[in-house]
Amino acid sequence: MQRNLILLGAPGAGKGTQAQRLAARWGIPQISTGDMLREARRQGTELGKKAQAYMDGGQLVPDEVVIGLVEERLGRPDAKDGAIFDGFPRTTPQAEALDGLLARMGRDPVKVVAIEVPEAELTLRLGGRRSCPKDNAPYHVTFNPPKVSGKCDRCGGELILRPDDRPEAIKTRFVEYQAKTAPLTDYYGRRGTLRTVDGTGELESILERITVALEGAAHG
Ligand code: AMP
């Protein structure tokens, strides 16, 4: 059975954290356009350079850039049994492009889970977030600290504060989210494929809520 799942949610809702867990559990890749863009920047590719200013300011990068990345990634063999999309789609044109892509590739349609967290908590989460630039493992100074302060549990690398987790960029990300990404709940809701879960509390409980929600979600 193929599993194609989209995790929707505002910045800081826990999409990346839960996508990593689900990907490990199901043995399918997490497709995070944010991680892919950061990797392109590290490698200094043209695409990475193009994305840089948008990302650091907290704005969305142009649709065609991320759609191209996803198309290439979905075609790789490890995604044949499905994928967990985290941070994609973020606009209606991206959602339409993904529908078209899955249909063209003869793949099962997506299920969609929206993770809901109150904005005050999102702000707290993003401000304290630390990330490993090597393996993208997410941490939080208070809610999910690494075993050794400032170091990644998996690779021992230095954790960083992402430029877009600074207060000014966080504000822009919320504005972008409300204007461009929040309408996707209607897009998927209309098809009956959307389930919503409470994204507060223990990480394990949230993971279970997502799994339970998926049992009841129709393919859209
Ligand atoms: P994330 O790690 O998902 O929070 O993404 C970090 C940044 O990468 C975002 O604030 C955007 O600038 C860019 N980005 C990631 N995914 C997308 C997407 N699907 N569409 C447009 N921009 C994106």
Side-chain angles (χ1 to χ4, degrees), residues 33-34 37-38 55 59-61 87 90 94 162 164 173:
T33 41
L37 291 167
R38 280 184 287 276
M55 292 174 77
Q59 289 174 302
L60 296 186
V61 305
R90 264 180 157 102
Q94 290 179 23
R162 278 169 36 179
D164 57 343
R173 287 165 71 199

Side-chain angles (χ1 to χ4, degrees), residues 3-218:
R3 287 181 150 125
N4 292 304
L5 169 67
I6 295 172
L7 291 181
L8 282 182
K15 301 183 295 293
T17 302
Q18 298 299 342
Q20 283 195 358
R21 285 157 188 251
L22 286 166
R25 181 183 279 194
W26 293 338
I28 56 176
Q30 167 196 15
I31 298 188
S32 158
T33 41
D35 288 349
M36 291 161 87
L37 291 167
R38 280 184 287 276
E39 182 58 26
R41 288 179 55 171
R42 259 196 303 282
Q43 294 183 356
T45 65
E46 276 313 305
L47 190 147
K49 285 181 196 146
K50 201 164 154 190
Q52 182 155 350
Y54 294 104
M55 292 174 77
D56 288 351
Q59 289 174 302
L60 296 186
V61 305
D63 287 334
E64 64 276 11
V65 173
V66 285
I67 291 168
L69 277 176
V70 169
E71 182 158 14
E72 189 276 326
R73 182 65 187 86
L74 256 187
R76 290 199 222 153
D78 67 338
K80 70 176 187 342
D81 293 331
I84 299 170
F85 297 94
D86 142 29
F88 180 90
R90 264 180 157 102
T91 65
T92 304
Q94 290 179 23
E96 288 165 352
L98 180 62
D99 285 341
L101 196 59
L102 293 171
R104 270 205 314 283
M105 294 173 90
R107 301 175 62 117
D108 291 346
V110 282
K111 289 185 173 187
V112 186
V113 173
I115 307 177
E116 284 196 334
V117 176
E119 187 161 327
E121 179 160 344
L122 292 172
T123 309
L124 275 181
R125 288 188 185 184
L126 291 172
R129 181 153 83 171
R130 297 294 180 272
S131 314
C132 175
K134 288 202 198 101
D135 54 22
N136 300 305
Y139 298 94
H140 188 280
V141 288
T142 317
F143 307 137
N144 182 24
K147 294 197 179 79
V148 178
S149 169
K151 306 261 190 230
C152 177
D153 289 349
R154 292 188 209 160
C155 72
E158 282 303 316
L159 301 182
I160 58 154
L161 171 68
R162 278 169 36 179
D164 57 343
D165 283 340
R166 298 207 172 93
E168 272 316 298
I170 289 176
K171 263 190 224 147
T172 308
R173 287 165 71 199
F174 283 150
V175 172
E176 288 276 80
Y177 175 78
Q178 282 307 338
K180 297 177 185 165
T181 310
L184 290 182
T185 52
D186 284 342
Y187 180 89
Y188 292 114
R190 277 196 296 273
R191 290 188 206 174
T193 185
L194 178 79
R195 292 293 177 275
T196 300
V197 298
D198 173 5
T200 61
E202 296 292 322
L203 295 181
E204 282 308 318
S205 319
I206 303 165
L207 183 65
E208 282 322 304
R209 279 176 220 149
I210 295 173
T211 323
V212 170
L214 280 171
E215 304 299 318

